[in-house]
Amino acid sequence: MDDIRKKLTGVFAPVVTPFRNDELMLDDLRYNLRKLADSDLTGYLALGSNGEFRSLSDLEQLHVLEVFAEEKAGKVVMAGTACETTRFTIEKTRKAAEMGFEFASILTPGYFARQMNDAALIGHYEAIADASPIPILLYNAPGFTGGVQLTPRAVIQLSRHANICGMKDSSPTGPDRYLTILDHATDFHILAGSANFFYASLHLGAVGGIISLANPLPAPCCDLFRLFTEQKFDEALDLHFRLSRLNAAVSGTHGVAGVKAAMNVMGFRGGEPRLPLIPLTDSERDKVREAIIAEGFNIW
Amino acid sequence: MDDIRKKLTGVFAPVVTPFRNDELMLDDLRYNLRKLADSDLTGYLALGSNGEFRSLSDLEQLHVLEVFAEEKAGKVVMAGTACETTRFTIEKTRKAAEMGFEFASILTPGYFARQMNDAALIGHYEAIADASPIPILLYNAPGFTGGVQLTPRAVIQLSRHANICGMKDSSPTGPDRYLTILDHATDFHILAGSANFFYASLHLGAVGGIISLANPLPAPCCDLFRLFTEQKFDEALDLHFRLSRLNAAVSGTHGVAGVKAAMNVMGFRGGEPRLPLIPLTDSERDKVREAIIAEGFNIW
Amino acid sequence: MDDIRKKLTGVFAPVVTPFRNDELMLDDLRYNLRKLADSDLTGYLALGSNGEFRSLSDLEQLHVLEVFAEEKAGKVVMAGTACETTRFTIEKTRKAAEMGFEFASILTPGYFARQMNDAALIGHYEAIADASPIPILLYNAPGFTGGVQLTPRAVIQLSRHANICGMKDSSPTGPDRYLTILDHATDFHILAGSANFFYASLHLGAVGGIISLANPLPAPCCDLFRLFTEQKFDEALDLHFRLSRLNAAVSGTHGVAGVKAAMNVMGFRGGEPRLPLIPLTDSERDKVREAIIAEGFNIW
Amino acid sequence: MDDIRKKLTGVFAPVVTPFRNDELMLDDLRYNLRKLADSDLTGYLALGSNGEFRSLSDLEQLHVLEVFAEEKAGKVVMAGTACETTRFTIEKTRKAAEMGFEFASILTPGYFARQMNDAALIGHYEAIADASPIPILLYNAPGFTGGVQLTPRAVIQLSRHANICGMKDSSPTGPDRYLTILDHATDFHILAGSANFFYASLHLGAVGGIISLANPLPAPCCDLFRLFTEQKFDEALDLHFRLSRLNAAVSGTHGVAGVKAAMNVMGFRGGEPRLPLIPLTDSERDKVREAIIAEGFNIW
């Protein structure tokens, strides 16, 4: 599985889905992907939380995946294929595999949060992994799933499945708890799901990150990873602090709408989120611009 | 709006959607509706949380609505029409209205829970109410939406919209907080969303309830409402306690899977939930049966 | 235990402890108790949460209890005697019994919240009840104890102890869950711990309430209880709504500091809370006054 | 303040307070301190959470402090001096200063958790810092204080006070959020409050940690710090994982009672916790012993 480890190493952008007046803008998505292709990003995640996958119809999701497949340009492409049910998640994962996606990142179900115990989640993921033509990544994000959280016990068991290759963790504490208990003989790779704990996670054994700031600021995110691999820890820590503060001002305060505003500031075509998510006001967008400048990043 | 108040008064069943081996069983649904038609239930909610609407494809949801439209049989029919976006919720609500549904019950969005502040939620509901041909009910259920909770301030503002006629509240504290602050001049009607606080809510001004136990046990639920209206409070309190204890053993412990098991015990065709929800084991189902008997309800 | 039921029936004030410039004002406490003696209150709770018992030294607590013992005036007197340990709670309970207190109300420990499982809490309360010369009341208030909550299973077991006569519940959902599962053969009496659910709790079988608004407004709180016992439910519901709204504006918004401000508005000597609790600003106090007037209560 | 930074650098043990049959065992405390004196620990925290300070009378707290003052043996000594009120915290802090303690670690108040906003907490800490003869450390531990959490904004303001020299953070996410936003010109030093995030915190700029495992296992905790300072990151990461797993089995599962059991396994005199905390059963203690061995640490 060395090849898988290599493919997962580095920084991924959970690419946003642009809208204008609630309409899906596939050309803007294409524009952004071509611009991101010039960066050192390892790859893209299509239809993640930042991709507002829950706000798209089934057909729209297909169209989004098609654009990614066409604009792959040598990057590693992952698709978010989670549905609330095992059955539909399998269907969507198979479709993504057919279209050329190399990994599926699968969020825990969340609607029936109280029922999502170890047995339910292990059964869910094992059935999907059995059926999937491509390796899958667990995706733990209690902030989007009513608090559902994969337990260390469940992760240990799932890590032994041959077709489950890793995990993205976006919980507030980061992936430390999982890294601690994983059997390092298993080929199971951890990706940090937030700029807040991306840098610390690297020190703890994560192979990379899928971080929303890589949408507007791919270069600094890749720089941080590079500084870590070069063991330039003082420079890395300084950059970590700058990115974390910016992340608090952008994603922490405004969620996807903030990421899109930052993209617009940086010359991408982020567009707007789909309602009920509300785009930033002009004054909020100005503050995002100021925060980017204040942390010393160049505006486009 | 006196007619609306009358239509919302009493007990509604949030009718479950039966599956077998993950397949949708429309005939079983039809069977259940015909059996429920003999009860004193005021009406049905199609595609609620107990209806596992998030576990159905768009096409399956349509098929479910068709069965309800055909099997209405003089009952008031509501449709759960919530999507994560304003746009798709409007589409689905219009479709339900075309098919003859009299009310739409609309759950708050929950995926981007942190962004669901008053402004986002008020904008969401006002846009839907403006566009809907039928009156809508707010549906507050933080347990299914990552903790999103309509604030009293938002409810007060929304209660003034001519096309928002009420609210179902399934939060752990029940609708007391809303009843307290509502302007009683407004035609806004509260339905309790759980057997736990249905009876107390009636004393506080709720017009009725949408309660999962009305799936397996429509008669006792309707009896409780009747005893309240007849001011037979000692009998009512005793029945409340019996239903609450049973609710804890069924819905509280097992969620939808428990409700379906209780239906099967009671001669309905509840079938199974869709995975990742796990059906009850035989021994769990026996305990549900025993709990029903222990509280003095007749088994079919 | 009929005598105990009678003593616990009705409204209790959890009497505040007045401070000025952080100094304990025993004369103001005495003044308040003499004024409250004219009301229909069943009794007083000394050293409750509203009494800021955790903000008093051991010696100050003793002085407060002495004032209550002297100013009993025919009312039933309870003492809050909770410490974090079993050992010191027993000492304090015995002391209160010696001084003439008729009941001890004992809050769950909260510092080591994660360790407060059924075994720890049952052991704690049984040891105290065994050692106490006076009957004790369990006091469940997760808002003050880091979320510690007595489980129904623990309450059922403790309700069977001959020296545990009841429970005050101040959790957000109110005592409904406990009322539902209690063996009604046991002499165990429930008191509601908030104006929010006091009225509904009476309909569900509670014998009374210990409610902070009884400090500034003893008469309306007693009126609500009387209207309930006279089965004047329309008038009772209206008064419930007025008291609940006021409670949200006073205790809900400002906690003990709000209760003290309302007392000052109503001619009591509430004084100030002890730091770090901050007294209300003049403008906040004016709003409390306006809220009292808006709900139709007479200002002193 | 270079001297302060030096004194806070490294590993501190939050020394437990031994009991037997609920009696305070000062000789056992003395024994443990003499044994810890041989380690590379930077210092001790007396009367911390692991010291069960809330379970001690005022007089017992004084006796504990006296033992620390006598057994200082060249170590840096901190005292936990938090009370629920500003007034009593100041008294206790002054007393600790008189007795020779060099720092006071002051937990946020927690009883009136809902009222502990920025204004209340900033006022509290500034008043204490103004009055204290010795520098103080903020102590953030939402698990012990009903969720009270110092906001970054409050910490920034407090970090500018000349007599507030740092902060211990025991929140589940660790001190990363504070490190990110601190003005590095200010002399403000962060100590990690758990073995879970001690190692990552060092990479992010923390100067050291106050960690419960340093009671039974001072040497490995000091080794981890040394390996970090020597930039032996592979060895450090391995040791971090071993200590984290052990911490989950000891402190995570059993709290203070687990720490004491581990001490007894390791030849210290941990004794028992005070009721209602329950000591480990023999079989639980055996599991702690096995966990220590499984992670490769030598048993005494």
Side-chain angles (χ1 to χ4, degrees):
Chain A
M1 259 210 199
D2 275 13
D3 185 48
I4 284 182
R5 185 177 186 88
K6 196 178 149 206
K7 284 185 178 180
L8 294 175
T9 295
V11 180
F12 286 77
V15 180
V16 307
T17 306
F19 301 95
R20 291 194 203 164
N21 298 320
D22 259 12
E23 295 295 333
L24 175 59
M25 304 305 288
L26 292 172
D27 287 347
D28 289 347
L29 172 59
R30 195 179 299 274
Y31 176 89
N32 293 335
L33 288 173
R34 290 187 182 172
K35 211 160 133 65
L36 289 170
D38 293 334
S39 72
D40 290 332
L41 289 174
T42 300
Y44 312 139
L45 169 64
L47 300 179
S49 296
N50 279 279
E52 290 172 82
F53 76 101
R54 277 283 166 77
S55 302
L56 295 166
S57 72
D58 287 347
L59 191 61
E60 288 175 332
Q61 293 196 19
L62 208 60
H63 289 158
V64 166
L65 291 184
E66 283 167 357
V67 173
F68 275 86
E70 289 162 16
E71 301 294 339
K72 198 182 143 159
K75 301 294 189 192
V76 177
V77 286
M78 299 177 179
T81 59
C83 300
E84 278 295 317
T85 60
T86 313
R87 176 193 186 93
F88 294 134
T89 305
I90 289 172
E91 282 182 16
K92 203 162 145 188
T93 305
R94 284 179 169 156
K95 184 71 197 162
E98 267 175 40
M99 296 175 74
F101 285 81
E102 293 161 88
F103 298 94
S105 164
I106 298 177
L107 180 66
T108 59
Y111 193 76
F112 294 113
R114 279 194 311 129
Q115 259 67 41
M116 290 302 104
N117 52 26
D118 277 9
L121 290 169
I122 289 171
H124 180 66
Y125 279 113
E126 289 188 341
I128 296 163
D130 286 346
S132 170
I134 52 177
I136 70 170
L137 289 153
L138 315 177
Y139 175 21
N140 188 57
F144 292 128
T145 57
V148 172
Q149 182 117 359
L150 283 159
T151 64
R153 190 183 149 277
V155 172
I156 286 175
Q157 178 162 342
L158 291 169
S159 73
R160 295 179 187 139
H161 193 290
N163 206 26
I164 299 179
C165 67
M167 176 174 188
K168 175 188 178 188
D169 187 18
S170 298
S171 64
T173 51
D176 185 14
R177 101 197 69 183
Y178 303 112
L179 287 160
T180 304
I181 45 82
L182 285 168
D183 176 355
H184 294 283
T186 311
D187 289 313
F188 191 79
H189 312 292
I190 298 273
L191 292 162
S194 164
N196 294 342
F197 44 71
F198 171 52
Y199 177 63
S201 298
L202 294 175
H203 277 290
L204 299 171
V207 298
I210 304 182
I211 48 188
S212 59
L213 273 190
N215 277 289
L217 291 161
C221 294
C222 294
D223 284 349
L224 178 52
F225 183 74
R226 184 182 46 77
L227 290 169
F228 171 77
T229 58
E230 294 172 354
Q231 302 205 40
K232 295 181 178 165
F233 295 137
D234 286 347
E235 284 173 74
L237 185 55
D238 179 68
L239 182 51
H240 159 67
F241 285 151
R242 290 161 59 208
L243 286 169
S244 290
R245 282 188 299 254
L246 187 58
N247 194 46
V250 173
S251 206
T253 308
H254 299 293
V256 175
V259 175
K260 290 183 163 183
M263 291 176 74
N264 293 335
V265 167
M266 295 302 292
F268 289 90
R269 295 183 184 164
E272 300 168 347
R274 199 168 241 180
L275 289 169
L277 289 187
I278 298 174
L280 270 61
T281 62
D282 286 351
S283 115
E284 287 169 334
R285 185 183 145 143
D286 287 349
K287 277 191 190 157
V288 164
R289 177 193 296 272
E290 286 158 26
I292 294 171
I293 294 168
E295 296 301 344
F297 300 114
N298 294 322
I299 300 282
W300 174 75
Chain B
M1 261 213 197
D2 275 12
D3 185 47
I4 284 182
R5 186 177 186 87
K6 197 178 148 206
K7 284 184 176 179
L8 294 174
T9 295
V11 180
F12 286 77
V15 180
V16 306
T17 306
F19 300 96
R20 292 195 201 162
N21 298 319
D22 259 11
E23 294 296 332
L24 175 59
M25 304 305 289
L26 292 172
D27 286 347
D28 290 346
L29 172 59
R30 195 178 300 275
Y31 176 90
N32 293 335
L33 289 173
R34 289 187 182 173
K35 212 162 132 67
L36 289 170
D38 293 333
S39 72
D40 291 331
L41 289 174
T42 300
Y44 311 138
L45 169 64
L47 299 179
S49 296
N50 279 279
E52 290 171 83
F53 76 101
R54 277 281 165 78
S55 302
L56 296 166
S57 72
D58 288 347
L59 190 62
E60 288 175 331
Q61 293 196 17
L62 208 63
H63 289 157
V64 166
L65 292 183
E66 282 167 358
V67 173
F68 275 87
E70 290 163 16
E71 301 295 338
K72 197 181 145 159
K75 301 294 188 193
V76 176
V77 285
M78 299 176 177
T81 60
C83 299
E84 277 296 317
T85 60
T86 314
R87 175 193 187 93
F88 294 133
T89 305
I90 289 172
E91 283 183 17
K92 202 162 146 189
T93 305
R94 284 178 168 156
K95 185 71 197 162
E98 267 175 40
M99 295 174 76
F101 284 82
E102 293 161 86
F103 298 93
S105 163
I106 298 177
L107 180 66
T108 59
Y111 193 76
F112 294 113
R114 279 195 310 130
Q115 260 66 44
M116 290 302 104
N117 53 26
D118 277 9
L121 289 169
I122 289 172
H124 180 65
Y125 279 112
E126 290 188 341
I128 296 163
D130 286 348
S132 170
I134 52 176
I136 72 170
L137 289 152
L138 314 176
Y139 175 21
N140 187 57
F144 292 128
T145 57
V148 171
Q149 182 118 357
L150 284 160
T151 64
R153 190 184 148 276
V155 172
I156 286 175
Q157 178 162 340
L158 291 168
S159 73
R160 294 178 188 140
H161 192 291
N163 206 25
I164 299 178
C165 67
M167 175 173 189
K168 174 187 178 188
D169 186 18
S170 299
S171 64
T173 51
D176 185 15
R177 100 198 69 182
Y178 302 112
L179 287 159
T180 305
I181 47 81
L182 285 169
D183 177 354
H184 294 281
T186 310
D187 290 314
F188 190 79
H189 312 292
I190 297 273
L191 292 161
S194 164
N196 295 341
F197 44 71
F198 171 51
Y199 177 63
S201 298
L202 293 175
H203 277 291
L204 299 170
V207 299
I210 305 183
I211 49 188
S212 59
L213 272 190
N215 277 290
L217 291 161
C221 294
C222 294
D223 284 349
L224 178 53
F225 184 75
R226 183 181 46 77
L227 289 169
F228 170 78
T229 57
E230 293 173 354
Q231 304 205 38
K232 295 180 177 165
F233 296 137
D234 286 347
E235 284 173 73
L237 185 55
D238 178 68
L239 182 51
H240 159 68
F241 285 151
R242 290 160 58 208
L243 286 169
S244 290
R245 281 188 299 254
L246 187 57
N247 194 47
V250 173
S251 207
T253 308
H254 299 294
V256 174
V259 175
K260 290 184 164 184
M263 291 178 74
N264 293 335
V265 167
M266 296 302 293
F268 288 91
R269 295 183 184 164
E272 300 168 346
R274 200 169 240 179
L275 290 169
L277 289 186
I278 298 174
L280 270 62
T281 61
D282 286 351
S283 112
E284 287 170 333
R285 185 184 147 143
D286 288 347
K287 276 191 190 158
V288 164
R289 176 193 297 271
E290 286 158 26
I292 294 172
I293 294 169
E295 296 301 343
F297 300 114
N298 295 322
I299 300 284
W300 176 76
Chain C
M1 258 210 197
D2 274 14
D3 185 48
I4 284 182
R5 184 175 187 89
K6 196 177 149 207
K7 285 185 177 179
L8 293 175
T9 295
V11 180
F12 286 77
V15 180
V16 307
T17 307
F19 300 97
R20 292 194 201 165
N21 299 320
D22 260 11
E23 294 295 331
L24 174 59
M25 305 304 288
L26 292 172
D27 287 346
D28 289 346
L29 172 60
R30 196 180 298 274
Y31 175 90
N32 293 335
L33 288 173
R34 290 186 180 173
K35 211 161 132 64
L36 289 170
D38 293 333
S39 72
D40 291 331
L41 289 175
T42 300
Y44 311 138
L45 169 64
L47 299 180
S49 296
N50 279 279
E52 291 171 82
F53 76 100
R54 277 281 165 78
S55 302
L56 295 166
S57 71
D58 288 347
L59 189 61
E60 287 175 331
Q61 292 196 19
L62 208 62
H63 289 159
V64 166
L65 291 183
E66 283 167 356
V67 173
F68 275 85
E70 290 163 16
E71 301 294 337
K72 196 181 144 156
K75 301 292 188 192
V76 177
V77 285
M78 299 178 180
T81 59
C83 301
E84 278 295 317
T85 60
T86 313
R87 176 193 187 94
F88 294 133
T89 305
I90 289 173
E91 282 183 16
K92 203 162 144 190
T93 305
R94 284 179 169 154
K95 183 72 197 164
E98 268 175 40
M99 296 174 74
F101 285 81
E102 291 161 88
F103 298 94
S105 163
I106 298 177
L107 180 66
T108 59
Y111 193 77
F112 294 113
R114 280 193 313 130
Q115 258 67 44
M116 290 301 104
N117 53 26
D118 277 10
L121 290 169
I122 289 172
H124 180 65
Y125 279 112
E126 290 187 341
I128 296 163
D130 286 347
S132 171
I134 51 176
I136 71 170
L137 288 153
L138 314 177
Y139 175 22
N140 188 56
F144 292 128
T145 57
V148 171
Q149 181 116 1
L150 283 160
T151 65
R153 189 182 149 277
V155 172
I156 286 175
Q157 178 162 343
L158 292 170
S159 73
R160 294 180 187 136
H161 193 291
N163 207 27
I164 300 180
C165 66
M167 176 174 188
K168 175 189 179 188
D169 187 18
S170 299
S171 64
T173 51
D176 185 14
R177 102 198 67 184
Y178 303 112
L179 287 160
T180 304
I181 45 81
L182 285 169
D183 177 355
H184 294 282
T186 311
D187 289 314
F188 191 78
H189 312 291
I190 298 272
L191 292 161
S194 164
N196 293 341
F197 43 72
F198 171 51
Y199 177 63
S201 298
L202 293 175
H203 277 290
L204 299 171
V207 298
I210 304 182
I211 49 189
S212 59
L213 273 190
N215 276 290
L217 290 161
C221 294
C222 293
D223 284 348
L224 178 52
F225 184 75
R226 184 183 46 76
L227 289 169
F228 170 78
T229 58
E230 295 173 354
Q231 302 204 39
K232 295 182 178 166
F233 296 136
D234 287 347
E235 283 173 74
L237 185 56
D238 179 68
L239 182 52
H240 159 68
F241 284 151
R242 291 161 58 206
L243 286 170
S244 289
R245 281 189 299 255
L246 186 58
N247 194 45
V250 172
S251 204
T253 308
H254 299 294
V256 174
V259 174
K260 290 184 164 182
M263 290 177 75
N264 294 334
V265 167
M266 295 302 293
F268 288 90
R269 296 182 183 164
E272 301 168 346
R274 198 168 242 180
L275 288 170
L277 290 187
I278 299 174
L280 271 60
T281 61
D282 287 352
S283 115
E284 287 169 334
R285 184 183 146 144
D286 287 348
K287 278 193 190 156
V288 164
R289 176 192 296 272
E290 286 158 26
I292 294 171
I293 295 168
E295 296 301 344
F297 300 114
N298 296 321
I299 300 283
W300 176 75
Chain D
M1 260 211 198
D2 273 14
D3 185 47
I4 284 183
R5 184 177 187 87
K6 196 177 149 207
K7 284 185 177 179
L8 294 175
T9 295
V11 180
F12 286 77
V15 180
V16 307
T17 307
F19 301 96
R20 291 194 201 165
N21 298 319
D22 261 10
E23 295 296 332
L24 175 59
M25 305 304 288
L26 292 172
D27 286 347
D28 289 345
L29 172 60
R30 195 178 299 275
Y31 176 89
N32 293 335
L33 288 173
R34 290 188 181 172
K35 212 161 133 65
L36 289 170
D38 293 334
S39 71
D40 290 332
L41 290 175
T42 300
Y44 312 138
L45 169 63
L47 299 180
S49 296
N50 279 280
E52 291 171 81
F53 76 101
R54 277 282 164 78
S55 302
L56 295 165
S57 72
D58 288 347
L59 189 62
E60 287 175 332
Q61 293 196 19
L62 207 62
H63 290 157
V64 166
L65 292 183
E66 283 166 356
V67 174
F68 275 87
E70 290 163 15
E71 301 295 338
K72 198 182 143 156
K75 301 293 188 191
V76 176
V77 286
M78 299 177 179
T81 59
C83 300
E84 277 295 317
T85 61
T86 313
R87 175 193 187 94
F88 294 133
T89 305
I90 290 173
E91 283 182 15
K92 203 162 143 189
T93 305
R94 284 178 168 157
K95 184 72 196 164
E98 267 174 42
M99 295 174 75
F101 285 81
E102 292 160 88
F103 298 94
S105 164
I106 297 177
L107 180 66
T108 58
Y111 193 77
F112 294 112
R114 280 194 310 130
Q115 258 68 44
M116 289 303 104
N117 53 25
D118 277 10
L121 289 169
I122 290 172
H124 180 66
Y125 278 112
E126 290 188 341
I128 297 163
D130 287 347
S132 170
I134 53 176
I136 72 170
L137 288 152
L138 314 178
Y139 175 20
N140 188 56
F144 292 128
T145 57
V148 171
Q149 182 116 2
L150 283 159
T151 65
R153 190 183 149 275
V155 172
I156 286 174
Q157 177 161 343
L158 291 169
S159 72
R160 294 181 187 135
H161 192 291
N163 206 27
I164 300 179
C165 67
M167 175 173 188
K168 175 189 180 188
D169 186 19
S170 299
S171 64
T173 52
D176 185 14
R177 101 199 68 183
Y178 303 112
L179 287 160
T180 304
I181 45 82
L182 285 168
D183 176 354
H184 294 283
T186 311
D187 289 315
F188 191 79
H189 313 292
I190 297 274
L191 292 162
S194 164
N196 294 341
F197 43 72
F198 171 51
Y199 177 63
S201 298
L202 294 175
H203 277 289
L204 299 170
V207 297
I210 304 181
I211 48 189
S212 59
L213 273 189
N215 277 290
L217 291 161
C221 295
C222 294
D223 284 348
L224 178 52
F225 184 75
R226 184 182 46 77
L227 289 169
F228 170 79
T229 58
E230 294 174 355
Q231 303 205 39
K232 295 182 178 165
F233 297 137
D234 287 347
E235 283 173 74
L237 185 56
D238 179 68
L239 182 51
H240 159 67
F241 285 152
R242 290 160 60 207
L243 286 170
S244 290
R245 281 188 299 255
L246 186 58
N247 194 46
V250 172
S251 206
T253 307
H254 299 293
V256 174
V259 175
K260 290 184 163 182
M263 291 177 74
N264 293 335
V265 167
M266 296 302 293
F268 288 90
R269 296 183 183 164
E272 302 168 346
R274 199 169 242 181
L275 289 171
L277 289 186
I278 299 174
L280 270 61
T281 61
D282 286 351
S283 114
E284 287 170 334
R285 184 182 147 145
D286 287 348
K287 278 192 190 156
V288 164
R289 176 192 296 271
E290 286 158 26
I292 294 171
I293 294 169
E295 296 301 343
F297 299 114
N298 296 321
I299 300 283
W300 175 76

